[in-house]
Amino acid sequence: GGEQHGARKGAEGAPTDEVKRRRKAAANGELRVAEWSIGARDWARAQDAPWRGAHLSTVARERRYGLTLLAEAHRGDGSLPALLERFDSERDGLPPEARRMWIELLRETGETDEAIAMTQGDSAATFSREDRVRLLEMYREADRVEEMLGVYREWIAGEPDELLWRQGLCRHYLENGDRAAAIDVWESWFPAEGTGSIEPGALLQA
């Protein structure tokens, strides 16, 4: 009758509020199972439930929480390499949050070069400023300093008004005793900004 007709309309058209509500409830249920399983040290269940929950969830915050539980469950039985393999086998279908988790876990397990490689190409467009700061840190950890400096210069050229990259590059030069290079980072910004007679070296006192 009318109830079946309503369900049919929902199936044929855009997702209805009821469908969304059920999916959200299913995702939340999987996350609760993950929490309980971690508490019970039932690692197999604790690893499957948040994976399903993260894929079911339509809310980024819940996906991030599910992925956090997933990593915790794999740390619990020392199976992070298996999680990294799982990410790799399903790389094309991973949401952005899962790609970020993958990169962080590669970094955590010492696979810094592979983590850096993950940030190249099309995936770079999905990264926030915080993600990009972590990328620069990974270059430093991998002792790939020249590449790090190249990335800084590329981002400064592409985003001249974003002072975060200038500050980071300036800090690197100061930490390595190259005050002249640190001043140059800021002098290249002054003509465009019309700061007149401001002394670049004054910024280095901050």
Side-chain angles (χ1 to χ4, degrees), residues 122-149:
D122 295 340
S123 62
T126 68
F127 294 150
S128 66
R129 287 202 330 167
E130 292 73 19
D131 293 325
R132 294 165 75 186
V133 168
R134 284 196 290 272
L135 170 61
L136 292 165
E137 292 171 353
M138 287 191 285
Y139 275 112
R140 185 179 290 108
E141 290 169 3
D143 199 26
R144 292 166 61 171
V145 176
E146 287 304 314
E147 290 177 77
M148 179 191 75
L149 296 178

Side-chain angles (χ1 to χ4, degrees), residues 51 83-91 94 102 105:
W51 181 270
L83 176 55
L84 294 174
E85 289 178 10
R86 191 172 192 177
F87 279 143
D88 190 34
S89 68
E90 302 197 24
R91 64 167 60 221
L94 292 177
W102 186 5
L105 292 177

